[in-house]
């Protein structure tokens, strides 16, 4: 296809730049400017809306391309192979082309809103500047091909199951865990702190398992889960907490996407996370909330998971 061909040209123009970026640099965990969690949530919300509007099959293929690319990483900077670099660009170009232009521009504008204008120049200063310019020229040509292949209307909204066992169980889980949700400091910057003692490549192995799980999910249910998050963001209070109804809908939607993949795929995520999250992190989270509320939430979760497993 045209986007695939254009991705090869984009690769010619951008792979030198890709090799020079230090993908393992911890700086990419920082906010790209001053820390503004509610504005950042708005930017993420725009990404969620774009993801929900995208063609689910193309999203899966993009997840697969990322998984494959993680498998061909080499060298201290963490760069993937030239072929996989091109394949990721092609897959993302197709995802972008599957949503209306305005959804893409909404992400761009919202991200710009939380990005200090000095950040791009700083990023450029870390690589060979001429290679960054060459990559950007390549991107500008690529985007014209994407625009020429872009849809003008989003894919249909998801179908949301009703009256299913997971939906019923989500009500009990949400009642048991909403007090815990209200105890959590959602606007803290602690969630942007590095995981103690872990390197970027170690962390990437756990993210890779999530990508694999995402790629196996039922596309309609994943879209429904994204839509539920978007709705929930729309009802947050000043502390970032969503309404009980929207929280319940998120739990139901996530239970359903978990049930749509094999148990082992879920456990692979859990086990890889357990390897990179030191118990001190979990204990620290626990120390900041009412312990009774956390225990009630945990009890609710362990009951919920049996319902999920039964329909998995
Ligand atoms: Mg989510 C999970 C935040 C968007 C899909 N997500 C999580 C949690 C965290 C979070 C609260 C990971 C950390 C954790 O486990 O804490 N997500 C979060 C934010 C946003 C977002 C702030 C922004 C909009 N997510 C989002 C989108 C999608 C997902 C758009 C795609 C549709 N997210 C997704 C999945 C999962 C998460 C599939 C998880 O599995 C993970 C999670 O919650 O695992 C348990 C603990 C969790 C909480 C504080 C909230 C849930 C409370 C539960 C139901 C009960 C509590 C149990 C117990 C006390 C703690 C967990 C014990 C542990 C051993 C499992
Ligand atoms: C400017 C001025 C003109 C010239 C110009 C110009 C530049 C415009 C530009 C630009 C626009 C632009 C857009 C970019 C957009 C990037 C979008 C990224 C989206 C990320 C997403 C992430 C996610 C996920 C995911 C799916 C999940 C949801 C999420 C489901 C269902 C200014 C040059 C034309 C770069 C969507 C993918 C996992 C949130 O106009 O004169 O330069 O760049 O998890 O969804 O699971
Ligand atoms: C524009 C203007 C509108 C019209 C429009 C438009 C186009 C927007 C577009 C577009 C956005 C867009 C984005 C693309 C992004 C590609 C990103 C590729 C990333 C590849 C990576 C590969 C890798 C790895 C990996 C992880 C490793 C690092 C690596 C670590 C820690 C402008 C059409 C709407 C194409 C990251 C995965 C292995 C490097 O908006 O008018 O057309 O395309 O090895 O991580 O090691
Ligand atoms: C300039 C002037 C214009 C021309 C121009 C120009 C240059 C702009 C530039 C540039 C922008 C730019 C951006 C870059 C962005 C790279 C982003 C990389 C992200 C990597 C991540 C890696 C990671 C992980 C991971 C999970 C870990 C955290 C991390 C935990 C909990 C100035 C040329 C356009 C290079 C996210 C995945 C392992 C961080 O605009 O005229 O030159 O470069 O370790 O999670 O630990
Ligand atoms: C233990 C001991 C027993 C008792 C027990 C026990 C506990 C087990 C547990 C537990 C397992 C468990 C699992 C959990 C799994 C969470 C999984 C999260 C996945 C997140 C993903 C994120 C993503 C995306 C997304 C889609 C994108 C890709 C990504 C596409 C196509 C120990 C109690 C049984 C909590 C997948 C969603 C946006 C990466 O066994 O005695 O306690 O918890 O962007 O994909 O776009
Ligand atoms: C288990 C054991 C195996 C069998 C198995 C199994 C089950 C795994 C499961 C499961 C995992 C799982 C995960 C669930 C997670 C739910 C998370 C809910 C999060 C809700 C949020 C709501 C909100 C918002 C929002 C953003 C705001 C904050 C909030 C800010 C900054 C165990 C079956 C495989 C259900 C985050 C979105 C508006 C609070 O593995 O043997 O069954 O379920 O307002 O952000 O303000
Ligand atoms: C313990 C002992 C057992 C019993 C138990 C127990 C407790 C475990 C616990 C607990 C785990 C736990 C986890 C919590 C996790 C909260 C996660 C919140 C994530 C929020 C995010 C928000 C954000 C943003 C956002 C984007 C911004 C950055 C942020 C930028 C660029 C110990 C009870 C089981 C509470 C990610 C989205 C706005 C950070 O196990 O016997 O008690 O709690 O602002 O992006 O700015």
């Amino acid at each position: 296809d045209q986007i695939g061909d254009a991705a090869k040209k984009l690769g010619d123009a951008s792979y030198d730049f890709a090799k020079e970026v230090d993908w393992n640099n911890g700086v990419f965990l920082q906010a790209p400017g001053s820390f503004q969690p509610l504005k950042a949530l708005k930017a993420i919300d725009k990404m969620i809306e774009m993801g929900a509007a995208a063609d689910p099959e193309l999203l899966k293929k993009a997840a697969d391309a990322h998984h494959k690319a993680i498998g061909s990483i080499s060298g201290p900077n963490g760069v993937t192979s030239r072929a996989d670099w091109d394949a990721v660009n092609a897959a993302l170009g197709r995802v972008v082309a599957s949503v209306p232009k305005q959804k893409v521009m909404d992400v761009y504008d919202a991200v710009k809103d939380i990005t200090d204008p000095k950040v791009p120049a700083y990023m450029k200063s870390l690589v060979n500047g001429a290679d960054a310019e060459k990559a950007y020229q390549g991107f500008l040509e690529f985007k014209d091909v994407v625009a020429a292949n872009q849809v003008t209307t989003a894919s249909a909204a998801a179908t949301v199951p009703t009256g299913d066992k997971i939906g019923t169980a989500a009500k009990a889980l949400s009642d048991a865990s909403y007090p815990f949700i209200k105890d959590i400091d959602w606007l803290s910057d602690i969630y942007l702190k590095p995981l103690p003692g872990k390197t970027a490549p170690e962390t990437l192995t756990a993210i890779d398992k999530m990508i694999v799980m995402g790629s196996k999910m039922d596309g309609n249910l994943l879209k429904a889960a994204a839509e539920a998050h978007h709705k929930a963001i729309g009802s947050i209070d000043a502390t970032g907490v969503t309404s009980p109804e929207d929280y319940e809908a998120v739990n139901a939607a996530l239970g359903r996407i978990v049930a749509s993949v094999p148990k082992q795929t879920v456990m692979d995520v859990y086990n890889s996370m357990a390897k990179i999250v030191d118990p001190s992190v979990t204990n620290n989270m626990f120390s900041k909330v009412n312990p009774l509320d956390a225990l009630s939430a945990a009890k609710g979760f362990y009951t919920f998971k049996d319902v999920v497993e039964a329909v998995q």
Side-chain angles (χ1 to χ4, degrees):
D1 64 341
Q2 288 183 338
I3 294 180
D5 296 342
K8 293 219 163 50
K9 279 197 200 160
L10 174 57
D12 291 339
S14 63
Y15 192 59
D16 285 333
F17 169 71
K19 285 189 284 191
E20 290 157 14
V21 172
D22 177 9
W23 299 95
N24 290 323
N25 193 331
V27 77
F28 300 124
L29 192 56
Q30 283 179 41
S34 57
F35 177 66
Q36 300 161 280
L38 289 170
K39 266 190 169 186
L41 184 65
K42 257 190 201 144
I44 300 215
D45 187 34
K46 293 299 174 192
M47 293 183 205
I48 294 171
E49 284 198 80
M50 177 172 154
D55 179 332
E57 281 309 310
L58 293 174
L59 266 186
K60 279 186 197 220
K61 286 186 180 147
D64 291 339
H66 279 82
H67 170 59
K68 182 156 184 290
I70 290 170
S72 72
I73 285 177
S74 67
N77 280 0
V79 77
T80 188
S81 71
R82 166 66 203 267
D84 288 338
W85 174 255
D86 291 7
V88 169
N89 279 314
L92 292 178
R94 292 182 193 112
V95 167
V96 171
S98 79
V99 305
K101 172 177 164 180
Q102 195 51 48
K103 297 258 183 224
V104 185
M105 291 309 297
D106 287 350
V107 173
Y108 179 83
D109 292 339
V111 170
K112 192 170 185 222
D113 206 35
I114 55 164
T115 305
D116 186 306
K118 292 192 209 81
V119 167
Y122 174 67
M123 288 300 154
K124 190 181 170 189
S125 78
L126 300 177
V127 297
N128 177 328
D131 289 336
E133 297 287 350
K134 194 173 61 160
Y136 184 57
Q137 286 311 314
F139 172 74
L140 290 179
E141 285 178 32
F142 180 75
K143 71 112 170 62
D144 289 336
V145 178
V146 171
N149 286 278
Q150 196 158 28
V151 301
T152 49
T153 45
S155 65
T159 332
V160 183
T162 47
D164 58 331
K165 291 199 172 98
I166 293 181
T168 308
K171 165 107 181 86
L173 167 60
S174 306
D175 289 346
S177 59
Y178 194 66
F180 169 63
I181 291 296
K182 284 200 285 186
D183 293 342
I184 297 168
D185 181 358
W186 293 97
L187 305 184
S188 166
D189 67 355
I190 197 165
Y191 314 110
L192 284 179
K193 299 292 174 208
L195 290 169
K198 293 303 157 194
T199 63
E202 285 168 322
T203 309
L204 190 62
T205 55
I207 296 188
D208 187 32
K209 299 294 183 203
M210 292 186 205
I211 293 172
V212 168
M213 178 169 155
S215 145
K216 288 189 189 172
M217 285 170 183
D218 178 284
N220 171 60
L221 293 175
L222 178 56
K223 178 184 276 215
E227 288 168 355
H229 279 82
H230 168 60
K231 180 154 190 293
I233 291 169
S235 73
I236 59 168
D237 64 17
T239 66
V241 175
T242 189
S243 71
E245 297 76 21
D246 288 344
Y247 174 61
E248 183 186 328
V250 167
N251 277 323
L254 292 183
R256 291 182 194 116
I257 60 176
V258 170
S260 77
V261 303
K263 173 176 165 175
Q264 191 53 50
T265 307
V266 185
M267 290 309 294
D268 286 350
V269 172
Y270 180 81
N271 291 326
S272 63
M273 285 302 297
K275 267 187 213 140
I276 59 163
V277 180
D278 190 274
S280 67
V281 173
T282 326
N283 288 330
N284 183 46
M285 289 292 123
F286 189 45
S287 76
K288 291 172 191 288
V289 297
N290 177 326
L292 292 177
D293 292 346
L295 289 166
S296 161
K299 193 162 172 272
F301 176 73
Y302 297 129
T303 310
F304 181 72
K305 70 116 171 70
D306 290 335
V307 178
V308 171
E309 190 169 10
V311 299
Q312 196 164 27

